[in-house]
């Protein structure tokens, strides 16, 4: 099958270009990450990130035939019809909207900055008990679908609002994390958290485009989380 | 060493789900309405100024080209309206799942298409 | 916190609310007006003028033009701050954006005044 | 020397659970601390831990006692776990786990609002007399993910200085062998820098990638062990590799023991629940070494499933969709992705898969690295300036076999302990050892070797070969002659790797260079494993030999110590002197 990969080496290239490779999968429905490993055996200069290879570390987010996802848990058959059969090339590009360091490796700095802005850690100024802080299963259930985020950036880099304002709009990933702490019964910094979100950009640039939801490899729903935060802001503001 | 890092943001290489298409269309129609506002205001002006201008406007409206323009304006208005109603519904937390979002976006296209056709029929 | 001077409500929440409230006004008006026009059939000047001249419609029309101006401003402010940025215009972005925003604002003020004159001028 | 130097009070190498727990402790103390991680910290392998963190917090059972946990751990270690260290871990554990809750770790909950605990293998009440215990604190089946993200968040809050995507390549020692810091490469730019610190903490994790089939992340290449061995430091019990009973057949992806804790069980191709024959009491919740061996026996006896009869099944469907989706949601995802199997409907094909390195750099409970005693038998001597925590360390709390859920406890307890100790030492005034230019040149030698290579074999091919040698010669069951053959193959590989070729010498984000450096480390760990495995002439815990099928307490109730200079295996005493409880005497180990 044919693989077409976005290549850019700042030492030698002025502009990025697409490079074609021929890979023999022996008809097997391999994961995209396996294909990258095969290409790297041919061409050691190819750069991409990878770690757990099972979809929990979030290293290998990339754009595969137009759609963001994790290479390690995306089988060829799922990328696009015809790719596995070799009728169509597999097209691999870096996550959109972030500066490319090399090949498929993007500079995640802006993404992490936005994550840090939401103070992604539990805040509770009451003295800690000798045991755990009690939390009912119902209270705990409120952070299901939020804490599982792996910071792969697939969502934020598929979001047009984040493309246009990556420094001002927090993006779906950071907002999901913001709500993860707003929804945690053990956290009591709600007012402080909300007060940082009611400007026109941080949260309100979300227009319900839902690209984030459609690409999240963990099946999480930032759009809904953002909706919940908006409701909290509304209650607080009027 | 090349200091200026490239950004991969060639929109033609990116696939957009139906929800994104619904959203960008909403925005495009919004801008279009803004551009059409003077036309609408002018028509309002003519319709109210005098019986003569009212008659002129009516006369003008019989031209197929003008009909087409009016229909186009109504079409973007209707799409923007229907998609806007979806937004308001989503604000209440309905249709925020992946499936719900997709269904909502498809419904917007179907409903607005039907309405646009109906309005077209009315104009002609 | 980012508080751009050109945002109408000076706050995301209020911009958002303005957008929603004005949308509801415009939506209800549009549906009503389309309904009226489609149901009345062949309209003559007299009845049209009388209809638009009623106090009820004058109030509705006033609400409408204000809602349209506000709705458009919030919407287009979003559009300009999305597309007219350093990503597309580099260092000139702020200038370009400001010019566009001033142009839009002027246009909306003109439309608003024009609309008000139309609504109240004939009375 | 043209190399840039960055100076800190303490540096931590590795951004997994152990490293971030250590750096958190030190950052809170206000000392200048850097954490160097070759991946962004939340990509570290701790993220893949699923089932939970075992600790006697007395939630599931209000009468639970850390001493019972200690008993289980000593027994699980097949009696070569150090009892003072196990005592410390089990005793301090609850405090360390409650701290995690206060930090925000989203543990699953009981109706009382306490942390949910599930049964895991090898757990008992009342020193093995009271039946199965439920002692593993869980956040669904994503405990490692929840733990790692929580620790990263706390480090952000407390201002740890992160050097993410920096690769630590070599230890820097002075002429006396005192550790002065590390040489590290900024992967993004390719720049090489000397990190100088009074305390260097290795938290580099395991090395499962020496095997062809492993549950480990691709980054688990034994960098800390490799650096220690090249520096002439010994490693302990390195022959002890845990094979996790349930890796997804073919993919190697882990399926948590928590599945069996929740009531799942293994079946052979005939649908028989075979663990009833091997471990009549604990059955599927026997210790991991026991279950893995039983599975291999089923497969070798022809009762394996699949066209090649090479796996068995983990049956979960009887637990019902609701339990599976609330308690084991991650497993359901993984099984569908990697085995095309929905556990709600059908059993998952599984096979024992390399999972955990029980051995590593020998340390005391403060994480201080121990060196070869050099004549002072019984008295530990320490490597000044070097500490190790987490999987790279051998404290040793796992001995010859680790119990499920003890790895996460190990890393938070000893990451924290090392942090506390270093903080205290820094306060008292710790020495900064100063390397000479020649010392730094020495540390740079390996990098320079790769940089100047002009021809030779490629890294991926050599790595593949190494992995298959380890897989075929040092697997679940081992045999003297087969291992001797493996040792010889590795000696040959050492020569070839010394002449291997790095084709791409570019600077920015050159992952080929990193992979080349990792290959050196894989080789070090593989060779130490091979020689130690061949040398330990008994079967104990995870180390199981056809030619020495029995445990030999007379000769081998001890740690093995591999000396990299002589390439010889020595012995070190196991600690049998816990401070507050009586010694647990070695007994026959049955489940």
């Amino acid at each position: 099958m044919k693989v077409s990969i976005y290549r850019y080496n700042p030492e030698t290239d002025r502009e990025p270009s697409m490079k074609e490779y021929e890979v023999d999968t022996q008809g097997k429905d391999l994961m995209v990450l396996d294909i990258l490993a095969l290409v790297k055996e041919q061409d050691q200069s190819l750069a991409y990130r990878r770690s757990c290879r099972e979809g929990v570390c979030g290293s290998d987010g990339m754009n595969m035939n137009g759609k963001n996802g994790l290479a390690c848990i995306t089988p060829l058959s799922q990328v696009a019809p015809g790719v596995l059969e070799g009728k169509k090339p597999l097209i691999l590009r870096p996550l959109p909207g972030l500066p490319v360091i090399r090949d498929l490796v993007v500079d995640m700095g802006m993404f992490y900055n936005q994550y840090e802005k939401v103070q992604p850690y539990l805040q509770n100024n009451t003295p800690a008990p000798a045991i755990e802080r009690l939390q009912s299963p119902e209270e705990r259930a409120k952070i299901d679908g939020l804490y599982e985020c792996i910071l792969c950036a697939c969502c934020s880099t598929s979001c047009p609002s984040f493309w246009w304002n990556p420094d001002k709009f927090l993006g779906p990933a950071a907002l999901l994390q913001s709500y993860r702490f707003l929804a945690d019964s053990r956290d009591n910094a709600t007012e402080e958290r909300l007060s940082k979100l009611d400007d026109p950009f941080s949260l309100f640039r979300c227009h319900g485009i839902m690209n984030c939801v459609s690409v999240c490899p963990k099946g999480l729903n930032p759009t809904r989380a953002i909706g919940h935060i908006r409701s909290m802001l509304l209650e607080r503001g009027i | 060493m090349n200091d200026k890092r490239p950004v991969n943001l060639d929109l033609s290489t990116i696939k957009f789900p139906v929800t994104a298409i619904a959203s960008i269309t909403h925005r495009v129609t919004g801008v279009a309405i803004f551009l059409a506002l003077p036309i609408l205001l002018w028509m309002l002006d003519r319709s109210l100024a005098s019986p003569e201008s009212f008659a002129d406007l009516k006369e003008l409206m019989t031209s197929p080209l003008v009909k087409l323009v009016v229909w186009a304006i109504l079409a973007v208005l209707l799409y923007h309206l229907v998609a806007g109603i979806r937004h308001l519904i989503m604000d209440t937390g309905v249709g925020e799942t992946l499936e719900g979002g997709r269904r909502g976006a498809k419904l917007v296209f179907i409903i607005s298409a039907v309405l646009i056709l109906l309005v077209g029929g009315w104009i002609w | 916190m980012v508080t751009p001077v050109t945002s109408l409500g000076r706050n995301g929440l209020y911009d958002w609310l303005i957008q929603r409230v004005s949308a509801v006004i415009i939506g209800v008006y549009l549906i009503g007006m389309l309904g009226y026009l489609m149901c009345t059939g062949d309209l003559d000047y007299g009845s049209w003028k009388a209809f638009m001249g009623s106090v009820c419609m004058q109030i509705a029309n006033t609400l409408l033009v204000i809602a349209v101006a506000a709705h458009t401003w919030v919407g287009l402010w979003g559009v300009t701050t999305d597309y007219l940025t350093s990503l597309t215009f580099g260092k000139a972005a702020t200038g370009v954006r400001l010019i566009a925003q001033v142009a839009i604002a002027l246009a909306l003020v003109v439309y608003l005044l024009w609309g008000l004159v139309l609504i109240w001028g004939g009375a | 020397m043209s190399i840039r130097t960055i100076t800190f009070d303490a540096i931590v190498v590795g951004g997994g659970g152990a490293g971030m727990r250590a750096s958190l402790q030190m950052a809170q103390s206000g000392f200048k601390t850097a954490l160097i991680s070759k991946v962004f910290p939340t990509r570290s392998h701790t993220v893949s831990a699923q089932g939970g963190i075992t600790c006697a917090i007395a939630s599931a059972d209000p009468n639970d006692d850390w001493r019972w946990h200690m008993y289980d751990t000593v027994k699980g270690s097949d009696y070569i776990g150090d009892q003072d260290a196990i005592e410390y871990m089990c005793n301090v554990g609850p405090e360390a786990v409650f701290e995690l809750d206060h930090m925000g770790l989203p543990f699953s909950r009981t109706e009382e609002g306490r942390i949910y605990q599930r049964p895991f293998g090898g757990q008992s009440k009342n020193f093995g007399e009271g039946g199965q215990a439920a002692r593993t604190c869980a956040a669904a089946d994503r405990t490692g993910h929840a733990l790692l993200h929580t620790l990263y968040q706390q480090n952000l809050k407390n201002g740890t200085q992160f050097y993410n995507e920096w690769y630590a390549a070599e230890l820097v020692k002075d002429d006396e062998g005192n550790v002065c810091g590390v040489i590290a490469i900024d992967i993004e730019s390719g720049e090489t820098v000397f990190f100088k610190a009074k305390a260097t903490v290795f938290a580099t994790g395991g090395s499962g990638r020496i095997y062809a089939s492993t549950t480990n992340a691709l980054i688990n290449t034994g960098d800390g062990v490799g650096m220690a061995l090249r520096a002439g430091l010994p490693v302990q019990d390195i022959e002890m590799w845990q094979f996790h009973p349930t890796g997804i057949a073919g993919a190697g992806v882990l399926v948590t023991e928590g599945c069996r804790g929740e009531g799942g069980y293994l079946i052979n191709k005939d649908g028989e629940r075979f663990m009833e024959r091997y471990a009549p009491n604990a059955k599927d919740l026997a210790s991991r070494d026991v279950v893995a061996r039983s599975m291999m026996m089923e497969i070798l006896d022809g009762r394996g499933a699949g066209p090649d009869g090479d796996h068995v099944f983990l049956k979960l469907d009887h637990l019902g969709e609701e339990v599976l989706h609330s308690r084991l949601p991650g497993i359901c995802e993984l099984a569908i992705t990697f085995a095309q199997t929905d556990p709600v409907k059908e059993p998952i094909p599984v096979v024992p898969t390399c999972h955990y390195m029980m051995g590593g750099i020998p340390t005391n409970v403060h994480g201080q690295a121990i060196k070869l005693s050099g004549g002072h038998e019984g008295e530990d001597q320490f490597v000044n300036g070097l500490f190790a925590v987490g999987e790279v360390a051998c404290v040793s709390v796992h001995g010859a076999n680790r119990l499920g859920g003890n790895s996460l406890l190990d890393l938070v307890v000893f990451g924290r302990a090392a942090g506390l100790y270093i903080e205290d030492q820094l306060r008292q005034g710790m020495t900064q050892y100063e390397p000479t230019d020649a010392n730094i040149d020495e540390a740079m030698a390996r990098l320079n070797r790769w940089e100047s290579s002009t021809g030779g074999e490629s890294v991926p091919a050599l790595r593949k070969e190494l992995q298959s040698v380890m897989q075929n010669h040092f697997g679940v069951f081992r045999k003297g002659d087969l291992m001797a053959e493996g040792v010889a193959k590795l000696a040959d590989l050492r020569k070839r790797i010394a002449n291997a070729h790095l084709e791409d010498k570019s600077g920015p984000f050159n992952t080929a260079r990193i992979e080349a450096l990792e290959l050196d480390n894989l080789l070090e760990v593989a060779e130490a494993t091979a020689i130690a495995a061949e040398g330990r002439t008994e079967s104990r815990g995870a180390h199981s030999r056809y030619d020495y099928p029995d445990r030999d307490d007379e000769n081998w109730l001890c740690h093995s110590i591999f000396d990299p200079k002589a390439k010889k295996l020595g012995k070190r005493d196991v600690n049998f002197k816990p401070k507050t409880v009586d010694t647990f005497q070695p007994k026959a180990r049955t489940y």
Side-chain angles (χ1 to χ4, degrees), chain D residues 279-338:
Chain D
N281 296 316
K283 297 177 189 146
D284 296 84
L285 285 177
S287 195
R288 283 181 182 170
D289 55 336
V290 175
V291 179
R293 265 195 299 278
S294 310
M295 291 166 75
M296 288 310 292
M297 311 252 268
E298 286 298 296
I299 291 168
L300 293 171
D301 287 351
R303 289 189 291 277
D308 300 322
D310 58 358
H311 59 263
V312 295
F313 289 115
L314 174 63
K315 185 174 149 58
L316 295 172
D317 51 80
H318 57 286
L319 301 179
E321 189 167 348
E322 201 182 319
V323 170
L324 289 174
H325 285 172
S326 66
R327 298 280 185 225
L328 301 164
I331 293 307
C332 295
E333 274 175 40
L334 287 174
I336 289 168
T337 308
F338 288 100

Side-chain angles (χ1 to χ4, degrees), chain A residues 61-200:
Chain A
M62 59 186 68
N63 190 275
M64 298 169 280
N65 290 52
K67 191 178 174 189
N68 287 356
L70 298 178
C72 59
I73 52 169
T74 306
L76 289 172
S77 57
Q78 238 176 54
V79 174
V83 167
L84 174 62
E85 295 76 22
K87 289 177 196 146
K88 248 195 235 171
L90 172 68
I91 304 167
L92 303 178
R93 303 171 64 93
L95 289 175
L98 293 176
V100 176
I101 297 174
R102 175 173 175 168
D103 301 340
L104 299 173
V105 178
V106 292
D107 179 356
M108 304 267 283
M110 284 196 280
F111 173 79
Y112 295 138
N113 282 345
Q114 302 302 54
Y115 172 68
E116 288 174 28
K117 272 194 210 159
V118 304
Q119 304 188 320
Y121 36 79
L122 194 84
Q123 299 181 68
N124 189 322
N125 49 19
T126 62
I131 59 164
E132 67 270 42
R133 292 185 197 273
L134 300 183
Q135 185 177 46
S136 71
E138 294 72 33
E139 287 169 331
R140 169 60 182 76
K142 290 196 176 128
I143 52 178
D144 277 335
L146 304 169
Y147 79 95
E148 299 93 327
C149 170
I150 57 175
L151 299 179
C152 64
C154 285
C155 59
S156 292
T157 62
S158 72
C159 172
S161 292
F162 187 78
W163 293 339
W164 315 134
N165 287 294
D167 51 340
K168 296 198 192 87
F169 175 51
L170 293 171
L175 289 165
L176 186 86
Q177 284 311 298
S178 178
Y179 187 60
R180 177 249 174 273
F181 289 100
L182 285 166
D184 195 323
S185 63
R186 296 169 297 171
D187 187 279
N188 62 18
T190 306
E191 172 54 33
E192 199 196 335
R193 292 181 188 283
L194 289 178
S195 70
K196 289 196 162 79
L197 294 173
D198 66 356
D199 64 277

Side-chain angles (χ1 to χ4, degrees), chain D residues 111-192:
Chain D
E111 284 305 321
E112 292 75 42
R114 296 209 57 194
I115 293 171
Y116 169 72
Q117 291 182 297
R118 59 163 55 111
F120 248 51
Q123 291 179 355
S124 76
K125 296 181 182 183
N126 198 16
F127 308 106
E129 305 294 324
Q132 176 74 40
R135 195 174 288 132
T136 301
C137 309
D141 57 357
R142 305 187 175 97
T143 316
H145 168 277
L147 169 71
L148 191 68
H149 280 253
T150 301
L151 285 175
Y152 179 66
Q153 293 159 356
Q154 288 299 315
N155 273 280
L156 277 183
K157 185 181 178 187
N158 287 282
T160 299
Q161 174 83 49
F162 282 104
Y163 286 87
N164 296 331
E165 296 186 329
W166 281 66
Y167 181 74
E170 212 70 283
L171 267 176
V172 176
K173 302 173 299 167
D174 68 9
D175 290 334
E176 277 71 52
N178 303 307
V179 169
C180 317
V182 294
I183 299 286
I185 302 170
D186 176 6
I187 299 176
E188 187 176 321
S189 70
E191 187 195 8
T192 305

Side-chain angles (χ1 to χ4, degrees), chain D residues 421-435:
Chain D
Y421 180 79
I422 294 168
E423 189 185 322
D424 184 53
Q425 292 292 298
L426 285 169
R427 216 158 264 140
Q428 291 178 29
M430 231 173 148
T431 312
Q432 172 67 64
Y433 296 98
E434 296 289 343

Side-chain angles (χ1 to χ4, degrees), chain A residues 30-87:
Chain A
L30 299 176
M31 298 294 174
V32 171
L33 183 65
D34 300 327
I35 302 296
L36 279 166
L38 290 171
V39 172
K40 195 164 171 70
E41 281 179 23
Q42 295 175 27
D43 181 351
Q44 289 246 0
S45 69
L46 174 67
Y48 56 93
R49 293 188 175 103
R50 81 288 180 276
S51 174
C52 76
R53 62 81 178 87
E54 58 188 28
V56 297
C57 81
S59 295
D60 60 353
M62 59 186 68
N63 190 275
M64 298 169 280
N65 290 52
K67 191 178 174 189
N68 287 356
L70 298 178
C72 59
I73 52 169
T74 306
L76 289 172
S77 57
Q78 238 176 54
V79 174
V83 167
L84 174 62
E85 295 76 22
K87 289 177 196 146

Side-chain angles (χ1 to χ4, degrees), chain A residues 6 63 93 96-97 163, chain B residues 7-16:
Chain A
Y6 182 100
N63 190 275
R93 303 171 64 93
W163 293 339
Chain B
V7 173
N8 167 36
L9 200 51
D10 177 351
L11 298 188
S12 68
T13 66
I14 296 170
K15 258 187 218 152
F16 290 93

Side-chain angles (χ1 to χ4, degrees), chain C:
Chain C
M1 188 166 128
V2 208
T3 311
V5 287
T6 49
S7 135
L8 187 62
R10 297 269 178 109
N11 165 306
L13 181 65
Y14 289 117
D15 279 1
W16 182 86
L17 264 178
I18 289 165
Q19 190 79 330
R20 266 53 190 179
V21 172
S22 59
V24 172
I25 294 171
I26 300 167
V28 169
Y29 184 98
L30 263 184
I31 293 167
M33 180 57 81
L34 278 175
Y36 171 81
L37 290 177
M38 288 170 101
C39 294
T40 357
D42 203 19
L43 199 63
D44 65 69
Y45 177 72
S47 48
W48 172 242
K49 177 91 177 165
F51 173 67
M52 292 299 274
S54 67
V55 180
C56 225
M57 276 316 284
Q58 280 179 321
I59 293 169
N61 283 329
T62 308
L63 275 178
L64 175 76
V65 286
I66 295 172
V68 167
H71 190 86
T72 310
W73 175 252
V74 175
L76 288 181
W77 182 78
V79 171
T80 56
T81 48
D82 267 354
Y83 306 129
L84 311 182
T85 63
S86 54
L87 202 69
T88 37
F89 289 92
K91 285 200 176 71
T94 312
V96 171
R97 194 166 60 243
L98 196 68
I99 291 167
Q101 286 171 350
V102 167
I104 290 166
L106 280 176
L108 286 178
V109 168
V110 169
Y111 296 170
L112 184 65
L113 293 175
W114 187 3
L116 289 175
V117 167
L118 284 182
I119 295 161
W120 298 98

